[in-house]
Amino acid sequence: MAAVTIDSVLQNPTLLFRPKAKVMLKPPRSLDCSRNRKLPLSRGSCFCSFNPRRTIHVVRASSSETALIGNFDTSSSDDIFYKDIFPVKRIEKVEGKFFIRLDRSKDQHDWQLTVGCSLPGKWILHWGVSYLGDSGSEWDQPPKGMRPPGSIPIKDYAIETPLKKLSEGDIFHEVKIDFNPSSEIAAIHFVLKDEETGAWYQHRGMDFKVPLVDYLEDDGNTVGAKRGFGVWSGALQQFSNVLLKSEASHADSQNNSIESKDSKNKNRCLEGFYEEQSIVKEVSVGNLVSVAVRKSPETGKVIVCLETDIPGDVVVHWGVCRDDAKIWEIPSAPYPPETTVFKNKALRTLLQPKATGNRSGALFTLDEEHFGFLFVLKLDDNTWLKFKENDFYVPLLGTSSVPGQYGQSDITTEEISSKSYTDGIINEIRNLVSGLSSEKSQKTKTKEVQESILQEIEQLAAEAYSIFRSSITTVPEEVVSETETTKPAVKISSGTGTGFEILCQGFNWESHKSGRWYMELKEKASEISSLGFTVIWLPPPTESVSPEGYMPKDLYNLNSRYGTIAELKELVKSLHEVGMKVLGDVVLNHRCAHFKNQNGVWNIFGGRLNWDDRAVVADDPHFQGRGNKSSGDNFHAAPNIDHSQEFVRKDLKEWLGWLREEIGYDGWRLDFVRGFWGGYVKDYLEASEPYFAVGEYWDSLSYTYGEMDHNQDSHRQRIVDWINATNGTAGAFDVTTKGILHSALERCEYWRLSDKKGKPPGVVGWWPSRAVTFIENHDTGSTQGHWRFPGGKEMQGYAYILTHPGTPAVFYDHIFSHHRSEIANLISVRNRNGIHCRSLVKIVKAERDVYAAIIDEKVAMKIGPGYYEPPSGSQRWSLALEGRDYKVWETS
């Protein structure tokens, strides 16, 4: 059974109606929703709960919209004591086209693979290649020259490239991949993804494979017109094939004596093709439901009118209650036409079409003794409309929304309710701040009590932010300006630590190779601490298929390539002794299996957490999971864990608690958090109570014609939305700021460092206390170099992040390099002037060749070759340090 959640406009609309879309080949097969283990009830069941203690929310909606109230007598407004019109969302199917084309590029030398889709959405091509001589189904990343603009690496096995419309009038979103036919690449593999909905488009549950040589074996997932291949069968047999004859000479292609793969590659002959397919996507569609209640002066009965513009047959599953316990009862007759009794617990009424308009409705006559009217809407056996996962509740006694209550204003009840609620939260914050800052309070309250109040302020601000976010398309700077002048003695929240943290990444991509990294780092503990770092991030500690630790297997086995569990404990103890907090790198998104299932697929786990395939998401295209659909993006190299399973969450919370107690970790760096919902992260952090936590939410920035867009609001919005899903319990790496720094420094376009409101353009400009800024890490730099910071400009990057708000992170390779003394000096300036994660930034210059800012009126800085000096006036500035194309001043 499929449930469609209906929520109040008080909630975030960008998150509200975003179901996991299904993309199907047309004609689609009938859906068997009984297999969906995420849904609590079986086919034919109802969603109504008869638990006397459940919470049921009263619907609030605009009282100004009355078009849906048709035959209901509203001539006497005195009789009407409740009238609401509220939006609902349901799922409809829309049809579009998906195509794959292989032909020569414009220069007639290289070839080009084009993938496109006509359906709306944020389409991403998740792709990789296989090389001559490769065995198995694993992907590799393509050479850098083959990657289209805007591509980002996904670990070490794939690339994600956004599909774009080349011009406004284009129907298709598409991406073009150029390649040299004489290269060592044997095939291109891909999966198409709609990032907005989480929908994947695959070939019969497998990756699409475009062979570039003639001798590859057909695994049932190949596309294109290649010699030796059969036509597609099954669901893909509807593809229309329009072969584009290659202009290449076929003179050498008849050599049947080729034996080696090298010679096959040399003489291979590509043949162009175009294949197109109709696909169906489920999208959210809005409708209205109205409820009005009046008392009949003739009979004394209460009459409820319910109408909707939802097309088709709509059944109201309804009942009444006698008190606040909201226990469902069946009222006495009369009932509307087409009403049946359901299991002696509720009634079901088929709404009747109205004579005018595409509407249907019903009148319900009730005794005035009833306290409330409860209902849900049933569209078919698999689709129910509810309110915030609870039953709709309409009060039949007391005061409610009344017509004209807010006059003829354009402001709806939802907007007024939202404003009143957020105003109440902000007033509560002000009261707490006033009480905390009063002289009497400072004398009577202990430091711990003051910190407790600060933590409450943080939580209230996060709640206000969540509601405020729902009314706008972008997020402003933090709801509450939380300027701090003294360093707290205890932590405030796991999303910020004290607010004065400076993070050191304590490893690189090669650190595992010595086999004794823990001991090597232990020898440097005092040295790292003396530079001013307060937190250090250690590599993944678990047994792993990959030596770097990011393919974990037995989570309780902490003997890894970095050292033994005993050495890890010794390292953590040494770091604590020099005053540093320690973050463990935990991989919660995926886990490598110990055993194969009956089909030969690796999805059965061993060790202490001996899960079966119920722990694997059902929509991972590489593994046969029996869990629910993923709540995020899939990582294709290992089974993706289904965090909706209660046993999985219980085991992971116990494991995190064990790491805290057994090893002494103070917090977490969370790997690949795009793979699962931020609400699960909140659950894990509340259970493990870390001092500090930061998530890796990584995806592509926005590009147009190969150039990075100035406006990266959509990119940072996705990161902020994830932080908000955790309820602010975790920060996130500010990937947006890193990307913008790349373009600004590489192209001498420092104007990019100010957004349209004159604020920093990354996450640090919207939610600075949750932004962990960085310029390099083990993936982007080190020996991987997936997205290396512009060479020779590293210190400009550090001059930016170490003087600005947010929590700055410094990469190990840069600490132990010729940059060391400059980084140490910048950290010293930051600490000396009390710059923290919520410090205020005033951008004073953002031009082609220079960026300058003043932070907390204490520190001034500039980067770029252009000229800037802080203004002379009441403040006296002295140069604190300078280097290649950067300067930093402080007040004297």
Side-chain angles (χ1 to χ4, degrees), residues 196-235:
E196 288 182 349
T197 62
W200 291 84
Y201 183 59
Q202 303 148 351
H203 176 15
R204 298 196 317 220
M206 303 172 68
D207 311 328
F208 287 99
K209 180 168 75 174
V210 180
L212 306 181
V213 293
D214 298 325
Y215 57 84
L216 287 185
E217 183 177 344
D218 184 358
D219 299 322
N221 62 337
T222 56
V223 295
K226 296 289 182 297
R227 288 167 302 164
F229 291 111
V231 297
W232 284 9
S233 59

Side-chain angles (χ1 to χ4, degrees), residues 266-548:
K266 181 178 180 181
N267 291 281
R268 65 180 169 184
C269 203
L270 291 177
E271 194 171 75
F273 67 88
Y274 178 90
E275 299 188 353
E276 189 177 276
Q277 170 67 24
S278 295
I279 60 173
V280 175
K281 172 181 173 180
E282 295 180 343
V283 297
S284 179
V285 177
N287 291 101
L288 295 174
V289 175
S290 69
V291 179
V293 183
R294 73 176 180 91
K295 186 174 182 179
S296 170
E298 294 83 12
T299 63
K301 297 276 189 178
V302 174
I303 301 175
V304 178
C305 174
L306 190 151
E307 292 190 8
T308 182
D309 61 352
I310 299 173
D313 291 341
V314 179
V315 173
V316 180
H317 187 99
W318 63 282
V320 295
C321 61
R322 295 183 179 274
D323 52 37
D324 278 328
K326 313 299 191 300
I327 301 174
W328 282 61
E329 294 183 7
I330 296 179
S332 57
Y335 304 138
E338 300 289 336
T339 296
T340 59
V341 178
F342 178 78
K343 296 184 178 180
N344 293 321
K345 292 182 178 180
L347 298 168
R348 286 184 172 176
T349 299
L350 176 65
L351 297 185
Q352 300 300 303
K354 295 295 180 180
T356 58
N358 297 319
R359 296 178 288 115
S360 59
L363 293 177
F364 304 85
T365 303
L366 307 170
D367 294 333
E368 60 179 339
E369 65 186 19
H370 298 302
F371 188 83
F373 178 80
L374 302 135
F375 71 94
V376 293
L377 298 179
K378 180 175 179 286
L379 305 188
D380 54 46
D381 286 340
N382 300 314
T383 307
W384 296 71
L385 302 184
K386 306 186 72 184
F387 175 69
K388 294 182 72 171
E389 300 183 0
N390 289 297
D391 311 328
F392 290 103
Y393 170 65
V394 175
L396 301 180
L397 298 176
T399 59
S400 256
S401 61
V402 179
Q405 183 175 354
Y406 302 109
Q408 299 304 313
S409 168
D410 291 335
I411 302 175
T412 64
T413 306
E414 294 92 344
E415 292 169 332
I416 294 171
S417 300
S418 176
K419 185 178 186 301
S420 301
Y421 190 52
T422 50
D423 284 349
I425 291 176
I426 292 170
N427 286 334
E428 189 172 349
I429 292 172
R430 286 173 179 157
N431 292 336
L432 287 169
V433 172
S434 299
L436 185 64
S437 60
S438 68
E439 184 178 351
K440 180 179 178 181
S441 172
Q442 291 176 356
K443 290 179 180 179
T444 57
K445 287 184 171 67
T446 65
K447 191 69 175 176
E448 287 74 16
V449 172
Q450 293 181 32
E451 295 302 338
S452 176
I453 294 173
L454 283 173
Q455 187 167 3
E456 186 176 353
I457 290 171
E458 284 267 347
Q459 293 170 348
L460 287 168
E463 187 176 1
Y465 159 79
S466 176
I467 297 168
F468 182 65
R469 245 297 277 123
S470 69
S471 63
I472 56 175
T473 56
T474 60
V475 180
E477 51 270 25
E478 289 192 40
V479 175
V480 181
S481 175
E482 299 164 317
T483 306
E484 301 177 23
T485 57
T486 59
K487 189 171 182 177
V490 295
K491 73 171 184 177
I492 294 175
S493 98
S494 58
T496 63
T498 65
F500 292 82
E501 310 303 342
I502 302 176
L503 174 63
C504 162
Q505 180 175 359
F507 64 99
N508 62 28
W509 194 247
E510 304 296 316
S511 297
H512 65 90
K513 290 188 174 179
S514 69
R516 56 183 307 274
W517 183 250
Y518 293 149
M519 292 297 94
E520 293 176 20
L521 202 58
K522 177 189 172 185
E523 296 169 1
K524 298 178 179 178
S526 296
E527 185 179 0
I528 294 172
S529 176
S530 68
L531 296 175
F533 292 101
T534 62
V535 180
I536 187 168
W537 156 23
L538 298 185
T542 55
E543 175 200 16
S544 170
V545 171
S546 64
E548 297 83 12

Side-chain angles (χ1 to χ4, degrees), residues 741-762:
L741 281 170
H742 272 245
S743 282
L745 274 58
E746 274 180 333
R747 304 167 65 92
C748 198
E749 296 175 343
Y750 290 85
W751 49 265
R752 292 181 176 273
L753 294 172
S754 177
D755 68 12
K756 60 185 178 183
K757 294 184 178 180
K759 301 291 184 182

